Amino acid sequence: MLMPNFSYARPRSLKEAIQQLSSEGATLHAGGTDLLGCLRDEIFGAKKVVSISSLNDLRGIRVTKDGRLRIGALTTVTEVANNQMIQQRYPALSKAASEVASPQLRNQGTIGGNLCQKPRCWYYRGEFHCLRKGGDRCYASHGENEFHCIFGSGGICYIVHPSDIAPALVAHDASVRVVGPKDARWVDVAKFFLLPSDDVRRETVLKPNEIVTEILLPVPMQGLRSSSRKIRARRSWDFALAGVALVLRFNDDRVQSAHVVLSGAAPIPWRSRGVEEAITGSRLDSDTVARAAEAAVKNAEPLEQNRYKVSLFRGLLEEELSAIAKI
Ligand SMILES: Cc1cc2nc3c(=O)[nH]c(=O)nc-3n(C[C@H](O)[C@H](O)[C@H](O)COP(=O)(O)OP(=O)(O)OC[C@H]3O[C@@H](n4cnc5c(N)ncnc54)[C@H](O)[C@@H]3O)c2cc1C
Ligand code: SF4
């Protein structure tokens, strides 16, 4: 398939980029690994592609004066995975980043683009004019749905959130800075993504002329342990069938607070409050772990072809909670 025609702009400042993006049919280009495929396959169109690759202020990883970690939106996924400070202070994030796609895609793809990438539902990526593209039905609900969600569809759209990095950021309580024509705001990553019941046409709270400029991670508290795990069909560049990011704070051997976020489970990174409640205040002994793993799937609503995800998540939680107890 040939790439459709569009004009191309490479602004030199953030202000100019936002101005360029404010014209009708403009779309933002970072590393292009997702965007160019979407344009080529005509999943959506663009009159103008606005590349932000010259905005060097949006690159790099640094510690702020008050000890938090700032990651520029144009920082590549490889840089996030290989950064020593992230490996030491936010292991769930570095592990998640190291498992994104292939080395080539990690070198080209940016962390901002990873958060804003489009869903991978094969109907959406194919020639089906489904609800998410403005059509009148979901083809996955009674179709080929083995890779779709078991939580959060609202009976509307069954995508799973595609990013491996986003669940780790939610678990670490990160926020993103969003800059638009009038102002800039900080949004918790946990509130950045939209459920189908919020708006089935949009995946994030971003308006068309808003740009994610940076990601901020809080100073890790004393007693914090974190991990992440991704299960995929083959050991290649596949997206997650099931995954989990854990950020737990321990007081001696008891869990004092917990952030447990599932991937491959729901249209957004899915915070599992059931697991968090089951482990908070307890030691991670085998009874607690078994109870927590059961709680993870208690309200699951599998489709005809993805029932296997229920036992997959149960087993995943059992293994990961047992492993983090021994760190
Ligand atoms: C074959 C393949 C396999 C993959 N496997 C995985 C995987 O296993 N796990 C995983 O997590 N990801 C996976 N990905 C997705 C990949 O990680 C993303 O394509 C990449 O991170 C996107 O970054 P980019 O800079 O290339 O974004 P682009 O392609 O440039 O942009 C992607 C989207 O985000 C928007 N966008 C980009 N940057 C910003 C910003 N700063 N502010 C606002 N909007 C923005 C763009 O407008 C566009 O809609 C895979 C992709 C491919 C093609
Ligand atoms: S799951 Fe969502 S993206 Fe996929 S066909 Fe249904 S409405 Fe479209």
Side-chain angles (χ1 to χ4, degrees):
M1 205 181 266
L2 287 175
M3 189 68 91
N5 286 332
F6 49 75
S7 64
Y8 181 76
R10 201 155 178 236
R12 297 272 153 198
S13 70
L14 186 59
K15 194 171 166 208
E16 196 198 327
I18 290 165
Q19 268 167 6
Q20 294 275 8
L21 277 173
S22 299
S23 63
E24 204 215 314
T27 195
L28 186 152
H29 171 280
T33 58
D34 183 41
L35 178 75
L36 296 180
C38 289
L39 294 179
R40 184 199 56 214
D41 297 341
E42 297 183 3
I43 293 157
F44 52 83
K47 289 186 185 158
K48 185 190 332 180
V49 168
V50 180
S51 168
I52 57 169
S53 58
S54 302
L55 307 185
N56 288 327
D57 288 353
L58 306 195
R59 292 183 198 283
I61 300 169
R62 66 173 167 82
V63 179
T64 61
K65 279 185 192 144
D66 57 3
R68 293 181 289 174
L69 193 81
R70 179 248 182 222
I71 307 175
L74 282 181
T75 308
T76 65
V77 176
T78 297
E79 289 171 280
V80 175
N82 292 348
N83 183 274
Q84 272 187 8
M85 211 166 359
I86 298 182
Q87 285 168 356
Q88 283 158 11
R89 292 173 46 166
Y90 311 97
L93 175 58
S94 70
K95 173 112 184 297
S98 73
E99 295 196 311
V100 167
S102 61
Q104 293 89 336
L105 285 160
R106 290 197 291 276
N107 288 341
Q108 177 70 18
T110 64
I111 188 168
N114 186 268
L115 297 183
C116 300
Q117 61 177 298
K118 290 291 176 181
R120 287 278 155 181
C121 168
W122 43 36
Y123 295 105
Y124 176 80
R125 293 271 170 168
E127 289 170 8
F128 294 84
H129 192 59
C130 71
L131 274 174
R132 193 165 284 277
K133 285 174 169 166
D136 62 2
R137 57 175 289 205
C138 169
Y139 293 87
S141 57
H142 294 95
E144 297 295 330
N145 49 38
E146 68 180 289
F147 298 129
H148 288 73
C149 72
I150 58 171
F151 297 107
S153 70
I156 302 167
C157 164
Y158 297 83
I159 57 164
V160 288
H161 182 72
S163 163
D164 290 325
I165 290 178
L169 290 177
V170 173
H172 275 301
D173 246 342
S175 41
V176 289
R177 184 163 183 261
V178 172
V179 181
K182 294 208 178 92
D183 52 16
R185 62 198 156 107
W186 284 99
V187 182
D188 292 345
V189 181
K191 294 187 179 150
F192 182 67
F193 301 105
L194 296 176
L195 280 167
S197 54
D198 298 321
D199 185 344
V200 73
R201 301 293 311 278
R202 291 161 67 209
E203 291 80 38
T204 71
V205 298
L206 285 182
K207 298 190 190 93
N209 54 2
E210 288 185 327
I211 299 179
V212 172
T213 58
E214 62 194 282
I215 293 127
L216 200 62
L217 286 125
V219 182
M221 280 187 276
Q222 193 107 43
L224 217 61
R225 296 183 207 167
S226 85
S227 74
S228 80
R229 167 113 177 261
K230 169 179 178 179
I231 297 178
R232 46 194 148 180
R234 295 164 291 171
R235 284 209 56 75
S236 60
W237 52 260
D238 286 1
F239 288 85
L241 287 182
V244 64
L246 296 175
V247 177
L248 310 186
R249 190 173 180 204
F250 282 83
N251 187 356
D252 289 330
D253 56 352
R254 280 183 192 276
V255 176
Q256 202 177 345
S257 63
H259 285 181
V260 177
V261 187
L262 308 183
S263 47
I268 59 173
W270 191 252
R271 187 123 177 234
S272 185
R273 305 275 179 186
V275 177
E276 293 174 2
E277 279 165 24
I279 61 176
T280 302
S282 301
R283 291 190 182 87
L284 290 182
D285 55 28
S286 55
D287 281 354
T288 305
V289 166
R291 218 166 354 101
E294 208 47 61
V297 293
K298 190 168 164 229
N299 298 317
E301 294 176 321
L303 297 160
E304 200 165 320
Q305 296 176 8
N306 69 1
R307 288 178 199 283
Y308 71 93
K309 284 199 176 189
V310 174
S311 44
L312 198 56
F313 274 107
R314 199 188 287 119
L316 173 65
L317 264 296
E318 269 194 42
E319 286 185 9
E320 281 308 288
L321 288 171
S322 305
I324 206 168
K326 293 181 195 132
I327 290 180

